Amino acid sequence: MLLHINGGSMMKRKDITITIDGKECKGKFGQTILEIAREHGVYIPTMCYLTKTLPIASCRMCVVEVEGVDGFILSCQERAIDGIEVKTNTPELFKERQNIMKLYNVNHPLECGVCDQSGECELQNKTMEFEVAEQNFTAKDQFRPVENWGYVSYDPSLCIMCEKCVRVSTEITGDEALKVRFGGYSSVIENVKKDKNFATLGEAAAVCPVGALVDTHFKYTTNAWELKKIPSSCPHCEGGHDVVYEIKKGKIYRTSNEAEFSTMCSASRYGFDFANEGVSKDKEQFEKALEAFKKAKSIIFSDEITNEEALILQKLKEKFGYRLISHDARAFQKFMSAYSSISGKSLYGGNLENLKKSDAIVVFGTRVNDDSPIVKYHLNMASKHQKARVCYMHPIEDKSIQNIVTQFIKYEPNTEEGVVALLAYTLLKDKDIPKEVKELLDELDIGNLSADTNIGEEELEQLLKSFEKKKRFSLVVGADLYTSPRAENIAKYIALLEKYFNFNLIVIPPATNGLGVSLICDLDDEVEGYTIGYNVKGDFTLSALGNGDLDMPALNQQEGTTTSIDKRVVPLNVALEYGGYILNDIANALGLKKEWTIDYTKELPEDKGFKNIEFDLLPNYYDITGKENRGYLLEIVSKEANGSLEEPIESEGIDGAVIYNCNPQEHFSSFTAKSKLLKQNNYLLGSKQFSIASKLQDGDKISFEIDGVLFNRVFKIDTSLKGTIAINPTYDMGLSSALLSSYRFRRLERVGS
């Protein structure tokens, strides 16, 4: 049985009808005139409007006339009233917009020949559209030097002060780096956090309608119209957001997206140079690969593969009995199985759209700013647009999100089971819940759990109080929970919270395609015998990273699909050529027989929620209103709810200096580590307390081991961190990174002196 569940429902709004240019247009109460016009294909010009932010109302290009109202009306912010008649294109409106364009063009430098925005510039387009053939006034020129802000460059002489970049920096990415420095004609955009060198400023540059903000690496390299655009999806994070590779002569010059509606992670924007290039077919190594598969007992692989490749591995398992090992995906798979035993459904019901509309949010068990930038962006939108209360629960306070967090609750590492039990008790004790659930919660030793987790009961009461009068609740949980030794019981409590507190629940899956892998593959826990490694070190290694026994294509060299955090199956397309063998070649030689890897797309398991749709029929676009038409949404499958909860056990705790495995925001895997543009941060970052506990000085070298993987790091003190915990990145560990299989918090075990 399939359940059509994709997140909590929003309140229904009253239907209204307005007339636009003689056309009857249906809408909802609360929509703006511009929104209704777009839904009905009526064009109203804009320069500053962004669908994903609040109306900016700085350009005045969207003005319309409303019958019975004197003067022009800003359609981007004026709410439509039932029965009004609107005109969008009268001679008076044309003249008004023409004059606006003349103001925009005052002393705008005639640099179109070298401007990076030329050919896709809104100023060029609108100047032509409104027939501005001459300029009959000027203003005194100003000296405005070009500024280099790291990832992006700013030319104030080209800036039209539309403020789109400021809104994205404030409302979407949340770096809050860009501000308007007002001064009349001398006004400019100011970067107030230049020292941070935020890669997220690339999202601000993406919405610039002119050439004022551009990617520094792209500047003066090629003309926009020379680039071929290949639509695809994120190959790095779990967000599955749209990515367009812009290429010329076999080289990716930049990536872009539908910036009006969507936002990219910085890994996609700047980490596009990860292809496995210069590869040809090595027949000798291919034959060795076949021999390796014939004697292998286990296949170990990372989550940086397509759904179709995951299905190939599953079919090889069914044919030859291999054990399939993917540590992160297996942890997530077991977590969701336990969740299903209480929830009665295969997947969490929440989505990002409802997250950004929430006014009360709990984030638990994830360093969300680094683990999932896309989720962080939606948290920020909820904070800025809904004034959401955001409670962040984690052993490490994160200064990078303090501008959106209204309450930080710190707990001890390895006490997540106790934390979730306390959370369930606090939020559900006064709810109408089944008798057996109430009895279980009433029997909890709250005092002991509070002491074990180091969470004060008053902190939880403060959380409960902050949720009063709130209507739209979200709960975001992550990898700290599903890698925990007590993950399965934690998952059951999470399901309980979703079920009885009406949370819009999101479980952040492993990047890149951990969700897809967990649904498609029958994964095993332990490695046995001779191993094949796919992007992981094995006895015989298939690698898109190089340094393996047989080369494989990277995700920007393949056709296929991945599965996003929003449970959306989205397409990947080939941006760069690849001349070597692929997994499907091996599968065919072993007897599976498919001409193309994408022949498996329509065979993805329907009993897991996938649909019987051919790859070439998958859509990949946004409509003019911002509705996403990319791939398809998984169906949520009903499950037998036969699980039972256990009381939390007392945690063992982690004494002494503690390591927390977590990658920085721009990095997810060894593929982002290949990027020449992304800043590399592979230090062991710890607090002063950690420095004392581990007897380390700033700049010292240290070696330690986790799950058999040896790390050699330089230690750096980070004064924003507290406690005896240090953050350790794993993205730069090459073919070894996916071998990490344990809880993210570990006691520091030094190797050598």
Side-chain angles (χ1 to χ4, degrees):
M1 179 181 177
L2 300 178
L3 303 174
H4 296 270
I5 301 175
N6 288 300
S9 61
M10 306 306 291
M11 295 176 62
K12 289 186 177 180
R13 294 184 290 174
K14 178 184 175 183
D15 292 330
I16 62 173
T17 302
I18 67 174
T19 302
I20 306 178
D21 296 336
K23 180 179 180 180
E24 188 176 278
C25 300
K26 302 287 186 182
K28 297 289 184 181
F29 179 77
Q31 283 187 297
T32 64
I33 295 172
L34 179 60
E35 287 173 332
I36 296 175
R38 285 189 169 188
E39 286 182 356
H40 291 82
V42 178
Y43 171 67
I44 298 176
T46 65
M47 283 290 281
C48 72
Y49 185 76
L50 269 178
T51 301
K52 63 185 180 184
T53 68
L54 298 174
I56 301 168
S58 69
C59 74
R60 299 191 61 82
M61 291 292 291
C62 71
V63 288
V64 297
E65 295 177 358
V66 175
E67 187 173 323
V69 178
D70 292 334
F72 298 137
I73 299 296
L74 292 174
S75 65
C76 71
Q77 64 179 20
E78 190 68 32
R79 306 294 177 184
I81 299 174
D82 191 38
I84 62 171
E85 294 188 18
V86 178
K87 293 180 181 179
T88 70
N89 192 16
T90 65
E92 291 76 18
L93 286 169
F94 185 89
K95 186 67 175 178
E96 175 75 5
R97 292 165 182 159
Q98 188 179 60
N99 287 332
I100 290 170
M101 291 311 302
K102 287 181 179 180
L103 286 171
Y104 274 136
N105 282 306
V106 170
N107 288 359
H108 191 89
L110 296 176
E111 298 176 359
C112 298
V114 294
C115 180
D116 292 291
Q117 199 73 4
S118 185
E120 52 187 13
C121 174
E122 282 299 299
L123 194 68
Q124 284 180 339
N125 295 340
K126 295 279 190 305
T127 297
M128 297 296 289
E129 180 181 350
F130 294 103
E131 301 174 7
V132 181
E134 59 183 22
Q135 189 70 28
N136 45 17
F137 54 90
T138 62
K140 184 178 179 180
D141 217 347
Q142 305 281 329
F143 175 65
R144 297 172 177 176
V146 176
E147 299 183 39
N148 188 323
W149 294 342
Y151 284 99
V152 302
S153 297
Y154 175 58
D155 187 342
S157 68
L158 295 173
C159 182
I160 62 172
M161 297 302 295
C162 69
E163 300 182 41
K164 283 183 177 182
C165 59
V166 176
R167 293 305 183 98
V168 166
S169 175
T170 303
E171 296 180 29
I172 308 297
T173 64
D175 55 52
E176 298 185 352
L178 302 184
K179 309 289 182 186
V180 178
R181 190 171 74 212
F182 291 102
Y185 185 61
S186 300
S187 297
V188 293
I189 303 299
E190 185 177 18
N191 184 352
V192 297
K193 298 180 180 179
K194 292 180 184 178
D195 59 312
K196 300 293 186 181
N197 190 21
F198 285 121
T200 48
L201 288 180
E203 305 314 300
V207 301
C208 182
V210 291
L213 265 182
V214 297
D215 290 323
T216 304
H217 79 274
F218 180 74
K219 199 171 185 179
Y220 305 143
T221 58
T222 188
N223 294 310
W225 58 84
E226 295 178 300
L227 297 170
K228 181 181 180 181
K229 297 189 176 185
I230 307 294
S232 193
S233 303
C234 183
H236 297 309
C237 81
E238 79 300 319
H241 52 78
D242 65 310
V243 174
V244 177
Y245 295 103
E246 301 197 23
I247 64 173
K248 183 175 77 170
K249 296 180 180 179
K251 176 185 174 181
I252 300 174
Y253 277 74
R254 65 178 177 183
T255 57
S256 58
N257 65 318
E258 289 284 356
E260 169 83 11
F261 313 118
S262 68
T263 307
M264 294 171 66
C265 70
S266 297
S268 281
R269 186 161 301 281
Y270 298 116
F272 52 77
D273 51 338
F274 62 93
N276 194 10
E277 298 181 289
V279 176
S280 58
K281 291 189 175 181
D282 187 331
K283 292 184 179 180
E284 182 179 346
Q285 286 301 109
F286 183 73
E287 292 300 322
K288 289 182 180 179
L290 296 181
E291 290 302 314
F293 270 88
K294 289 174 182 176
K295 65 180 179 180
K297 296 294 184 182
S298 301
I299 301 174
I300 315 172
F301 60 102
S302 72
D303 299 326
E304 288 80 39
I305 66 172
T306 65
N307 290 322
E308 291 73 15
E309 289 178 301
L311 184 56
I312 289 173
L313 294 178
Q314 176 62 23
K315 287 184 177 294
L316 289 174
K317 172 175 183 162
E318 293 166 1
K319 187 176 180 68
F320 298 108
Y322 300 124
R323 298 178 72 81
L324 295 184
I325 310 294
S326 184
H327 292 303
D328 285 349
R330 176 57 175 155
F332 183 81
Q333 186 180 69
K334 292 167 72 174
F335 187 87
M336 294 310 300
S337 178
Y339 159 88
S340 298
S341 72
I342 298 297
S343 69
K345 52 195 178 76
S346 59
L347 289 169
Y348 51 90
N351 60 42
L352 296 176
E353 182 66 20
N354 283 343
L355 175 60
K356 78 175 184 181
K357 294 177 181 177
S358 299
D359 55 10
I361 304 168
V362 175
V363 181
F364 173 33
T366 171
R367 189 172 171 87
V368 69
N369 184 68
D370 299 325
D371 291 344
S372 182
I374 296 300
V375 170
K376 184 273 180 95
Y377 296 162
H378 285 78
L379 288 171
N380 187 62
M381 284 186 269
S383 173
K384 299 300 192 298
H385 298 167
Q386 311 297 333
K387 294 181 171 51
R389 302 286 301 180
V390 179
C391 176
Y392 179 57
M393 308 180 76
H394 200 267
I396 309 172
E397 188 172 7
D398 188 353
K399 296 294 185 182
S400 63
I401 59 171
Q402 64 181 358
N403 58 333
I404 62 174
V405 171
T406 54
Q407 183 183 8
F408 170 59
I409 297 181
K410 181 182 184 296
Y411 57 85
E412 294 301 311
N414 204 29
T415 65
E416 287 84 0
E417 184 185 25
V419 175
V420 75
L422 285 171
L423 191 61
Y425 173 79
T426 302
L427 297 180
L428 300 180
K429 62 184 178 181
D430 296 324
K431 295 286 185 182
D432 184 15
I433 55 179
K435 181 181 177 183
E436 62 274 14
V437 175
K438 184 168 180 55
E439 288 176 352
L440 173 70
L441 295 179
D442 287 343
E443 290 173 3
L444 293 174
D445 188 336
I446 300 302
N448 188 52
L449 288 174
S450 180
D452 192 37
T453 61
N454 203 26
I455 294 178
E457 294 179 47
E458 68 282 358
E459 292 181 274
L460 295 169
E461 288 303 318
Q462 180 186 342
L463 169 63
L464 183 62
K465 186 178 177 66
S466 73
F467 277 15
E468 290 178 1
K469 299 181 181 179
K470 300 297 183 181
K471 298 179 180 178
R472 298 177 295 276
F473 303 96
S474 281
L475 173 61
V476 177
V477 301
D480 296 1
L481 303 191
Y482 53 77
T483 60
S484 164
R486 297 289 293 171
E488 292 180 49
N489 202 41
I490 293 170
K492 294 175 182 179
Y493 276 95
I494 293 295
L496 202 69
L497 282 163
E498 180 191 35
K499 196 170 187 177
Y500 296 113
F501 199 78
N502 196 31
F503 272 122
N504 170 65
L505 173 65
I506 295 174
V507 184
I508 300 173
T512 299
N513 193 28
L515 176 52
V517 169
S518 72
L519 291 171
I520 295 164
C521 294
D522 179 13
L523 297 170
D524 298 285
D525 292 313
E526 302 294 333
V527 176
E528 180 183 296
Y530 187 87
T531 61
I532 301 290
Y534 189 3
N535 294 329
V536 184
K537 186 65 178 175
D539 293 316
F540 189 93
T541 303
L542 311 175
S543 176
L545 291 163
N547 301 320
D549 297 300
L550 183 67
D551 283 296
M552 290 280 113
L555 288 179
N556 58 3
Q557 297 172 295
Q558 296 190 58
E559 282 186 314
T561 60
T562 64
T563 309
S564 77
I565 189 173
D566 258 353
K567 298 153 288 185
R568 185 177 290 275
V569 179
V570 292
L572 298 165
N573 285 302
V574 175
L576 297 176
E577 292 184 359
Y578 173 77
Y581 290 101
I582 62 175
L583 185 62
N584 191 47
D585 293 327
I586 296 172
N588 285 340
L590 295 173
L592 292 191
K593 305 300 182 186
K594 293 286 187 186
E595 183 177 4
W596 308 105
T597 302
I598 57 173
D599 290 338
Y600 287 100
T601 305
K602 63 182 179 183
E603 295 186 9
L604 294 172
E606 293 184 67
D607 62 336
K608 300 296 179 66
F610 293 92
K611 297 180 181 179
N612 182 11
I613 300 177
E614 294 184 10
F615 178 82
D616 289 336
L617 298 180
L618 295 175
N620 194 10
Y621 68 95
Y622 289 85
D623 69 19
I624 194 171
T625 67
K627 181 182 178 183
E628 188 173 10
N629 294 281
R630 301 178 57 245
Y632 61 83
L633 289 171
L634 287 171
E635 302 282 3
I636 294 184
V637 181
S638 64
K639 297 283 187 178
E640 186 176 355
N642 57 2
S644 58
L645 289 94
E646 303 172 12
E647 286 190 42
I649 63 172
E650 186 173 349
S651 72
E652 296 180 3
I654 305 177
D655 298 326
V658 177
I659 297 291
Y660 179 56
N661 288 331
C662 180
N663 288 318
Q665 188 186 58
E666 289 81 22
H667 287 281
F668 294 95
S669 70
S670 299
F671 289 97
T672 58
K674 291 182 68 174
S675 172
K676 297 179 181 65
L677 294 176
L678 289 174
K679 59 188 175 189
Q680 305 290 316
N681 178 5
N682 54 7
Y683 298 117
L684 178 67
L685 296 176
S687 65
K688 288 184 178 179
Q689 296 98 312
F690 180 91
S691 172
I692 295 168
S694 59
K695 299 179 180 179
L696 287 169
Q697 299 295 319
D698 191 85
D700 283 356
K701 294 180 179 179
I702 178 174
S703 296
F704 54 93
E705 191 174 285
I706 299 175
D707 294 343
V709 177
L710 179 65
F711 291 85
N712 295 300
R713 296 290 187 215
V714 172
F715 174 71
K716 290 286 186 181
I717 291 177
D718 185 336
T719 56
S720 70
L721 298 175
K722 307 295 180 186
T724 56
I725 300 176
I727 299 175
N728 177 51
T730 62
Y731 71 91
D732 63 330
M733 297 305 293
L735 294 168
S736 296
S737 61
L739 294 173
L740 298 168
S741 61
S742 62
Y743 180 53
R744 297 172 81 187
F745 291 94
R746 294 290 292 269
R747 182 181 289 108
L748 174 63
E749 301 288 350
R750 300 177 73 157
V751 175
S753 57

